[in-house]
Amino acid sequence: MKFRAIAAWLLIVISPAVLADPIERVEPPSWWTGFRHTELQLLVHGDDISTWSTSVDGNGVSITRIEKGDSPNYLFIYLDLSDAQPGSFDLVFSKSDERLTHTYELRERVPGHVGTYDSSDVIYLLTPDRFANGNPANDNIEGYADKLDRDDDYGRHGGDLEGIRRHLDYIADMGFTRVWINPVLENAMERASYHGYSTTDFYRVDPRFGSNEEYRDLVAAARKEDLGIIMDMIVNHIGNGHWWMDDLPANTWLNLPDTRSVSTHARTANQDPYASEFDQSGHADGWFVDTMPDLNQREALLADYLIQNAIWWTEYLGLSGIRQDTYPYPDKHFMAEWSRRIMQEYPDFNMAGEEWSPSPAIVSYWQRGKKNHDGYVSYLPGLFDFPLQIAMQRVLTNEEPPWGSVWTPVYEMLGHDFLYPDPMNLVIMPDNHDMSRIFTQVGEDVDLWRMAMAFYATMRGIPQIFYGTEVLMSHPGTDSHGALRGEFPGGWPDHERNAFTGQGLAQQERDAQAFTRKLLNWRKHATVIHSGKLMQFTPVGNVYAYFRYDHDDTVMVIFNRGDDTVEFDTARFAERLDGFTHGTDVISGDRVGVTSTLKLDPLSVLVLELE
Ligand code: CA
């Protein structure tokens, strides 16, 4: 595909011009000086490039080794940058009397350019195709088969990076401080390319979303709004439209290339003390789905390529975090090395891996600092708290627990936090782009939705809210992924309802948006929620309470899951209420006494700042 072979940053000079320049790609397209890891792999792709000899000229750069794959059209040049200075140097390719020069840029790293996130943040999760269409001119791009089709839930709807950039002020005003954007790298797939999880070029933003430069500009514009960007990355698989698939560098780059067997999805094989190698491989080496070839990260050249790719985007964009897709699916030893290398370069950085398991024993296995039974050492700082999400869903949907209170699943799940080296660094969420939206989960009951929002805004960890949750986006009657990733109201000019301005929203949607804005903006300054301790009390009936507290502040969060008003004695909370007489609800501003009894409306929550 010629349109993808044109890389603007390649400055190629041919002298003398006898042969056509064979070099189609050099990846990474640029690099930086000043990294702790001073070796750089360059993938050079071009017709018969492996038959050329290679040298470097200038800037303190030297070649340490050159590797070749099975295809003659790739060279892997390893460079030593330990003495390199910012600037450029020449890669020189020669064959007989022909000589080619490719100028390669080494930039200087800018201090403070890369950010992070922590439990003082709240993350807004966006599906870029569905948030806002800022540039209708990129809705269809010649050469890309999957065209705009807004009537199709799995079609492209035209949302893009420009749409996000234009609404950064809205996101910041709502009280969010970080934005996790679903993947935007090229997905040159026949259909259903909108979700972005079928990478076909690791170094190129899909032109239907924008360009690399637009992504970088978006991150810079977000920074001005105190918003950091978290990039969604996938190292487990590629899309079958990836340019490698026409000419694999080596036959070993894919797992199961002949059978293309789909993964068993038996993720617990990673931790299972009784697992067979057959089952471990059946899970990790199987293809996620049949259009997503599974990468063999045990292949050293590919492993280096993938690690450098993550560091390249982090440094190029100035990211504030990475979300790694399907964390238990790639080779787990590679994932440890991938995380280690990134954290080595960015010790204050943060990343969250997706391990969609109901068990904290399984999820905690992957967290940095965990002492594992099998000796596995992980370097991944954070994970998504699926166990807590699943437990809270049980509470909200009133699933009858085996014992105790309707709140028992949440109460017990939090009691397992001792399994995590750092529970405060778990991302907590009522839903995400892969499951029914929270308002749909709770049967479109606004009271239950408010309880969920208050819970996630005050619980330990880092809340993540899916776009549109604040205006009660829902998808009744279907759990189709395409449907739950609906268009954000106001993101397209033909929408009658506009959540950015409030125009056309129903009263309950406006109320929900105001509730979210107030809660999150309060949280932004509530340091006791960011770093305070958590104490919970055994739920009784429909009532559940926990406290966030530190030396200066105490916040009491108390829920009534029942349909009746309850009034109860606060004596059992004396351990944390001692010294306080009143609490002010952060939403309503109501001031209530806490010394004797507390009254809670049906299906309600109070978030009380104690005084
Ligand atoms: Ca567009």
Side-chain angles (χ1 to χ4, degrees):
M1 294 187 189
K2 289 207 170 61
F3 59 88
R4 285 193 277 133
I6 301 165
W9 49 74
L10 297 185
L11 289 169
I12 295 164
V13 180
I14 304 172
S15 67
V18 178
L19 288 184
D21 174 11
I23 300 173
E24 291 181 29
R25 292 168 181 267
V26 176
E27 294 179 342
S30 61
W31 200 248
W32 294 265
T33 57
F35 281 125
R36 294 179 193 203
H37 191 87
T38 54
E39 185 183 61
L40 175 66
Q41 174 206 68
L42 296 182
L43 175 156
V44 182
H45 181 234
D47 276 349
D48 269 338
I49 192 68
S50 69
T51 62
W52 294 63
S53 55
T54 312
S55 61
V56 293
D57 186 17
N59 221 17
V61 178
S62 57
I63 293 177
T64 52
R65 62 194 160 103
I66 292 175
E67 304 272 354
K68 297 174 185 178
D70 298 325
S71 164
N73 305 318
Y74 293 85
L75 268 183
F76 295 87
I77 305 172
Y78 281 83
L79 302 173
D80 178 7
L81 303 183
S82 47
D83 295 324
Q85 298 299 314
S88 60
F89 64 91
D90 287 339
L91 285 165
V92 181
F93 301 91
S94 53
K95 181 170 162 178
S96 320
D97 56 347
E98 283 93 33
R99 188 179 145 96
L100 289 173
T101 303
H102 174 87
T103 300
Y104 195 87
E105 190 186 352
L106 287 174
R107 298 173 192 161
E108 187 165 14
R109 294 176 64 196
V110 178
H113 180 55
V114 171
T116 189
Y117 66 85
D118 61 26
S119 51
S120 67
D121 290 305
V122 180
I123 300 168
Y124 196 52
L125 165 60
L126 282 179
T127 302
D129 184 58
R130 304 297 168 84
F131 183 61
N133 188 359
N135 179 13
N138 64 16
D139 290 358
N140 292 302
I141 298 281
E142 200 182 334
Y144 287 87
D146 201 12
K147 303 295 185 192
L148 189 79
D149 186 357
R150 290 176 60 198
D151 294 329
D152 180 356
D153 282 343
Y154 287 85
R156 296 196 78 100
H157 287 216
D160 47 37
L161 295 175
E162 175 62 13
I164 299 171
R165 195 190 62 77
R166 289 190 190 182
H167 297 294
L168 290 170
D169 56 347
Y170 167 79
I171 298 169
D173 176 63
M174 285 301 299
F176 297 101
T177 57
R178 294 291 180 267
V179 186
W180 158 22
I181 304 173
N182 280 156
V184 295
L185 298 189
E186 184 195 74
N187 273 229
M189 301 291 283
E190 290 297 316
R191 66 178 306 275
S193 65
Y194 77 96
H195 58 65
Y197 287 97
S198 304
T199 309
T200 58
D201 186 331
F202 277 104
Y203 282 99
R204 187 177 201 218
V205 166
D206 195 293
R208 292 161 292 188
F209 287 136
S211 64
N212 291 11
E213 293 75 16
E214 278 182 73
Y215 199 178
R216 189 179 54 186
D217 293 347
L218 168 66
V219 175
R223 182 71 60 92
K224 289 181 182 154
E225 299 274 1
D226 290 327
L227 294 168
I229 302 296
I230 297 168
M231 185 167 172
D232 204 331
M233 294 189 181
I234 313 109
V235 295
N236 179 61
H237 53 259
I238 53 179
N240 58 11
H242 194 289
W243 62 273
W244 288 338
M245 295 301 286
D246 298 334
D247 179 23
L248 281 171
N251 299 327
T252 50
W253 277 40
L254 298 185
N255 289 316
L256 310 177
D258 302 321
T259 63
R260 305 185 169 205
S261 304
V262 171
S263 170
T264 62
H265 298 283
R267 294 186 298 271
T268 51
N270 281 306
Q271 293 88 358
D272 184 353
Y274 311 120
S276 63
E277 286 179 18
F278 176 81
D279 287 335
Q280 287 175 330
S281 167
H283 159 65
D285 298 341
W287 291 23
F288 196 75
V289 294
D290 61 7
T291 57
M292 295 178 176
D294 197 69
L295 295 176
N296 174 17
Q297 302 88 5
R298 291 177 294 268
E299 161 59 61
L301 296 175
L302 175 60
D304 287 340
Y305 181 93
L306 293 172
I307 289 169
Q308 290 184 175
N309 182 253
I311 293 172
W312 190 86
W313 283 110
T314 303
E315 192 70 30
Y316 174 78
L317 295 172
L319 291 175
S320 289
I322 294 173
R323 179 264 183 184
Q324 180 59 256
D325 191 50
T326 58
Y327 201 86
Y329 284 80
D331 180 78
K332 69 180 184 181
H333 303 291
F334 166 76
M335 288 319 301
E337 181 62 6
W338 180 89
S339 298
R340 189 191 69 79
R341 282 281 307 279
I342 295 168
M343 298 309 293
Q344 180 187 45
E345 302 299 350
Y346 308 102
D348 299 326
F349 198 54
N350 210 345
M351 308 194 286
E354 178 200 30
E355 164 65 276
W356 193 335
S357 164
S359 167
I362 299 295
V363 175
S364 65
Y365 179 83
W366 304 106
Q367 193 174 36
R368 181 175 64 186
K370 177 76 174 181
K371 299 267 184 289
N372 280 312
H373 65 288
D374 58 0
Y376 180 76
V377 177
S378 185
Y379 295 86
L380 180 72
L383 287 123
F384 290 88
D385 196 345
F386 284 97
L388 188 62
Q389 182 272 325
I390 293 164
M392 186 60 177
Q393 188 172 357
R394 286 183 182 142
V395 172
L396 293 168
T397 56
N398 216 13
E399 186 180 307
E400 193 175 337
W403 74 278
S405 145
V406 66
W407 285 98
T408 300
V410 162
Y411 171 72
E412 286 194 333
M413 192 57 73
L414 288 166
H416 287 74
D417 266 10
F418 65 88
L419 289 165
Y420 296 104
D422 187 5
M424 283 296 274
N425 203 31
L426 298 172
V427 176
I428 56 175
M429 68 289 178
D431 61 16
N432 67 20
H433 61 294
D434 285 330
M435 67 177 80
S436 289
R437 285 176 168 276
I438 181 62
F439 194 50
T440 308
Q441 287 179 30
V442 298
E444 303 195 346
D445 183 308
V446 176
D447 293 327
L448 290 170
W449 174 91
R450 286 165 66 103
M451 293 166 73
M453 294 297 279
F455 177 82
Y456 286 104
T458 56
M459 181 42 63
R460 57 95 180 113
I462 304 153
Q464 166 249 291
I465 304 294
F466 194 29
Y467 76 98
T469 300
E470 71 274 28
V471 289
L472 307 177
M473 278 178 70
S474 192
H475 46 94
T478 175
D479 58 1
S480 146
H481 281 188
L484 65 91
R485 302 162 184 168
E487 292 179 4
F488 187 79
W492 278 253
D494 59 356
H495 286 174
E496 289 174 3
R497 299 157 61 252
N498 188 331
F500 299 118
T501 63
Q503 188 183 3
L505 293 186
Q507 187 60 46
Q508 81 169 12
E509 292 167 341
R510 278 201 298 273
D511 291 347
Q513 194 179 34
F515 175 89
T516 307
R517 185 183 286 118
K518 190 157 195 178
L519 189 62
L520 299 189
N521 279 287
W522 165 77
R523 189 192 189 281
K524 200 186 276 188
H525 304 288
T527 53
V528 69
I529 305 296
H530 307 165
S531 54
K533 292 181 179 175
L534 170 66
M535 182 178 287
Q536 63 169 345
F537 287 82
T538 310
V540 175
N542 289 304
V543 174
Y544 172 53
Y546 56 82
F547 293 76
R548 300 300 307 276
Y549 63 103
D550 59 20
H551 186 264
D552 298 318
D553 300 300
T554 299
V555 170
M556 176 185 196
V557 186
I558 186 157
F559 300 86
N560 174 14
R561 173 67 186 85
D563 296 324
D564 301 311
T565 301
V566 287
E567 189 162 5
F568 53 92
D569 195 326
T570 59
R572 70 188 176 100
F573 307 123
E575 209 172 324
R576 289 264 69 81
L577 284 178
D578 186 36
F580 297 109
T581 58
H582 290 81
T584 302
D585 182 40
V586 304
I587 301 298
S588 66
D590 290 348
R591 196 156 177 266
V592 296
V594 295
T595 47
S596 54
T597 60
L598 249 181
K599 198 162 115 182
L600 287 172
D601 292 335
L603 297 176
S604 71
V605 54
L606 292 175
V607 180
L608 299 175
E609 289 184 309
L610 298 180
E611 52 205 82

